[in-house]
Amino acid sequence: MIQIYNSLTRKKEPFTPITPGEVKMYVCGMTVYDYCHLGHARVMVGFDMIVRYLRARGLKVTYVRNITDIDDKIIKRAAENGEDIRVLTDRFIGAMHEDERALGVLPPDAEPRATEHMDGMLKMIGVLQKKDYAYRAANADVYYRVRKFARYGTLSGKSVDDLQVGARVEVDEQKDDPLDFVLWKAAKPGEPLWDSPWGPGRPGWHIECSAMSMDCLGNHFDIHGGGMDLKFPHHENEIAQSEAATGEQFVNTWIHVGFVRVNEEKMSKSLGNFFTVREILKSYNAEVVRYFILASHYRSPLDYSDESLDQAKSALARLYTALKDQPLVSVDAAESKYEQAFFGAMDDDFNTAVAVSVLFDLAHEINRLKTTDVSGAATLAVRLRRLGDILGLLHRDPDEYLKGKPRVYERRLTDTVSVTDTAKIQYEMSEQRIEELICERTAARQAKNWSESDRIRDELMAKGVILEDGAGGTTWRRA
RNA sequence: GGCUGGGUAGCAAAGUGGCCAUGCAGAGGACUGCAAAUCCUCGGACGCCGGUUCGAUUCCGGCCCCAGCCUCCA
């Protein structure tokens, strides 16, 4: 039985899909006006891990992740660039897909764009107005009447009165109540607009996700997620809109992914302390980044530092080293103690930190058996690959991974989606040159010219290449 | 001020009322021409103060510190 921590109830609960065997899940995706940073990556990887795991557990998952392609920031950025909004958003959607594919994130089943769901939004606002949850202000904005929705604040644990006390928001005199939020913004001169019964304008942010999720998954679905910072007000408002409109429960389980932090501070656009995915991929293999994200629990804060990524890199190299030269043998489906530990951890609110530690237990045992029980080692190597695959790790040919080769192909056990090569790291020395030097060194070693042999090894080491002399000759890998 | 979540060994990160987390780094040993990798062994933890208990890092109470949300943010 899978247990999931539900933000709505603030406790772990056994997960029971509304329709047995099927899971409908919606995640708030990006506002596309800039490149993805590590915080976005964490959400993408986190929910990708969850989807993969639910599927590995035999559930049929419909995963929807939206794209916000109309918003104040997008309008502003497009104006700054002097480019068309659609050109801007298409460009960053493309960049986002590139980043995701690099990180081993499988495409969601649907990726609705806000601008393509205008009808659903208008319809919902109309229903809310009919029920008196929405009203049109004098400036032609349409607002949601927060105090009318009695359960407002359930998700975030806030009471309407506390909110008012702590409000630092400029009071908008157009609103009946300062807590009310906008459903439809009247267009100002020069802004993109859509026609509506309330006048030309564009949707508020929150209504987008209510409309898109319900268009794609229905009024009531299983899981809704996003970054921790969306809990309030975004998700709170989604609940208010959706449940007021339909009279039904909107979502059963709310999942929120923790922040990425830098120097104990939240990584965010506004603080300017963010690292984009593509920037990081110039220095680290994408799988290292994925491993780094999965090595801690999805709800914990994740502190970014070069040291942490270096540690992730060493750790992942250990796993691939164990897999090196292990043949793909057939292994029966029966669960060993490793699968039991792995699934036990993952069933407990997707405890990837413990699941990953099981991978190391396997690696350790494989290394032990390599010399004494070759087929036993090969069997465990397949188990390691299978479990790694559930986390979206260890797909690659170990030798190619360790040599830092571009990802040309993937050996997949369960994926059905192709992944494109996104190698971005520039190396100091070419493979050809490395091979040449190894040949020279081998000759020197045969002549027992140790000083020359060591000189070449040092030279390679200085260029980030580590040599390993084994029984079958010398092999190399990138540091 | 209100509401969330945290404080675990040099670093990262799980977890548990008593019995090994795990990874990186470090020490000793095996292997190696020397290394690397690997294996064996090892040290070192649970913010502070009380309480419950035969026994608490784990439960309860208080305190201190950190981050986040209450405004756009994944």
Side-chain angles (χ1 to χ4, degrees):
Chain A
M1 178 55 100
I2 298 172
Q3 303 264 337
I4 301 179
Y5 180 89
N6 187 353
S7 299
L8 192 61
T9 55
R10 282 178 213 93
K11 60 184 186 220
K12 282 185 204 171
E13 297 170 345
F15 177 65
T16 314
I18 295 164
T19 305
E22 291 181 24
V23 179
K24 290 183 165 53
M25 172 164 134
Y26 182 91
V27 169
C28 290
M30 277 190 72
T31 301
V32 282
Y33 67 99
D34 208 341
Y35 294 114
C36 303
H37 67 233
L38 195 57
H40 299 112
R42 190 179 193 196
V43 171
M44 291 168 173
V45 170
F47 285 102
D48 181 65
M49 171 278 291
I50 288 172
V51 170
R52 285 173 186 259
Y53 186 68
L54 294 174
R55 286 182 180 147
R57 272 303 202 194
L59 293 159
K60 182 180 179 303
V61 181
T62 306
Y63 174 30
V64 178
R65 194 191 58 203
N66 78 291
I67 293 170
T68 296
D69 63 349
I70 181 64
D71 140 283
D72 290 353
K73 285 172 181 164
I74 293 173
I75 294 170
K76 184 163 170 265
R77 184 62 59 89
E80 285 166 8
N81 293 357
E83 73 184 318
D84 185 74
I85 285 179
R86 182 78 189 199
V87 172
L88 175 91
T89 55
D90 280 352
R91 189 154 48 85
F92 284 112
I93 289 169
M96 172 180 80
H97 287 155
E98 245 177 65
D99 292 342
E100 293 189 86
R101 294 301 93 82
L103 291 168
V105 171
L106 303 176
D109 297 294
E111 257 190 317
R113 296 170 66 136
T115 53
E116 290 166 2
H117 285 260
M118 224 38 89
D119 289 349
M121 298 180 212
L122 294 175
K123 204 174 139 203
M124 189 178 290
I125 296 170
V127 171
L128 289 170
Q129 187 180 34
K130 214 166 286 170
K131 294 188 173 182
D132 196 37
Y133 280 100
Y135 60 93
R136 184 176 184 275
N139 65 354
D141 282 353
V142 180
Y143 294 103
Y144 183 94
R145 218 183 280 290
V146 166
R147 281 182 191 276
K148 189 176 167 67
F149 187 71
R151 294 192 299 286
Y152 194 82
T154 308
L155 175 67
S156 53
K158 298 177 189 308
S159 86
V160 169
D161 296 323
D162 290 340
L163 283 173
Q164 209 177 26
V165 170
R168 279 182 279 154
V169 204
E170 281 179 47
V171 176
D172 185 339
E173 67 283 358
Q174 298 287 337
K175 297 178 182 176
D176 286 358
D177 186 292
L179 292 177
D180 294 350
F181 60 88
V182 70
L183 295 167
W184 187 259
K185 295 184 183 184
K188 298 189 182 71
E191 287 182 348
L193 52 85
W194 285 261
D195 282 328
S196 86
W198 308 277
R202 62 194 147 88
W205 178 36
H206 314 300
I207 196 74
E208 290 178 12
C209 284
S210 285
M212 284 188 270
S213 59
M214 287 163 65
D215 280 357
C216 296
L217 298 173
N219 292 353
H220 178 207
F221 54 94
D222 298 292
I223 296 174
H224 190 130
M228 206 74 94
D229 44 4
L230 297 187
K231 203 166 170 184
F232 190 91
H234 186 54
H235 288 158
E236 195 73 72
N237 291 352
E238 278 189 59
I239 292 173
Q241 293 163 340
S242 305
E243 299 195 351
T246 66
E248 299 174 45
Q249 173 155 9
F250 179 40
V251 170
N252 281 0
T253 306
W254 287 85
I255 298 179
H256 292 98
V257 173
F259 294 125
V260 176
R261 303 192 306 184
V262 181
N263 297 326
E264 306 256 296
E265 254 184 351
K266 177 188 169 189
M267 180 182 286
S268 73
K269 287 271 172 64
S270 44
L271 288 171
N273 62 347
F274 61 92
F275 294 82
T276 63
V277 170
R278 47 197 53 214
E279 206 175 321
I280 295 168
L281 293 187
K282 287 178 186 163
S283 314
Y284 296 94
N285 185 295
E287 194 172 345
V288 169
V289 178
R290 188 178 174 100
Y291 174 91
F292 169 66
I293 291 170
L294 293 177
S296 43
H297 188 87
Y298 74 88
R299 282 190 284 115
S300 308
L302 180 62
D303 281 299
Y304 173 87
S305 69
D306 285 348
E307 192 187 1
S308 295
L309 278 183
D310 287 340
Q311 290 184 2
K313 184 175 163 184
S314 302
L316 191 57
R318 176 170 166 82
L319 294 178
Y320 269 118
T321 301
L323 288 177
K324 201 176 161 192
D325 301 323
Q326 291 298 313
L328 274 181
V329 297
S330 63
V331 175
D332 65 70
E335 287 190 2
S336 69
K337 63 176 179 179
Y338 300 104
E339 281 84 5
Q340 284 167 13
F342 182 93
F343 286 110
M346 291 296 286
D347 278 354
D348 183 13
D349 195 31
F350 312 107
N351 193 334
T352 52
V354 170
V356 163
S357 78
V358 174
L359 304 186
F360 285 97
D361 293 342
L362 271 162
H364 185 234
E365 197 56 22
I366 290 166
N367 288 331
R368 278 169 53 93
L369 295 180
K370 270 178 180 173
T371 51
T372 57
D373 176 4
V374 174
S375 76
T379 299
L380 290 183
V382 170
R383 292 190 186 282
L384 173 52
R385 279 199 169 92
R386 278 186 189 161
L387 294 182
D389 187 62
I390 292 172
L391 297 176
L393 296 171
L394 305 178
H395 290 142
R396 302 197 52 197
D397 177 85
D399 195 51
E400 294 193 358
Y401 174 84
L402 293 168
K403 285 182 162 61
K405 290 192 185 186
R407 183 158 53 189
V408 182
Y409 71 95
E410 297 212 332
R411 178 176 300 167
R412 281 185 298 278
L413 300 171
T414 60
D415 289 5
T416 51
V417 178
S418 69
V419 177
T420 50
D421 170 31
T422 51
K424 292 185 169 66
I425 302 172
Q426 298 293 315
Y427 295 112
E428 283 189 72
M429 190 179 277
S430 71
E431 289 185 24
Q432 196 193 340
R433 182 65 187 141
I434 293 168
E435 302 285 357
E436 282 169 16
L437 286 170
I438 288 176
C439 275
E440 287 175 30
R441 179 169 171 274
T442 301
R445 292 186 74 218
Q446 276 162 358
K448 299 211 186 295
N449 184 348
W450 305 126
S451 64
E452 174 63 4
S453 160
D454 291 349
R455 188 197 64 73
I456 294 171
R457 187 170 61 199
D458 291 345
E459 182 185 343
L460 284 161
M461 177 60 93
K463 303 283 186 185
V465 177
I466 296 168
L467 297 189
E468 296 175 359
D469 298 326
T474 300
T475 59
W476 63 275
R477 64 192 168 93
R478 304 274 186 189

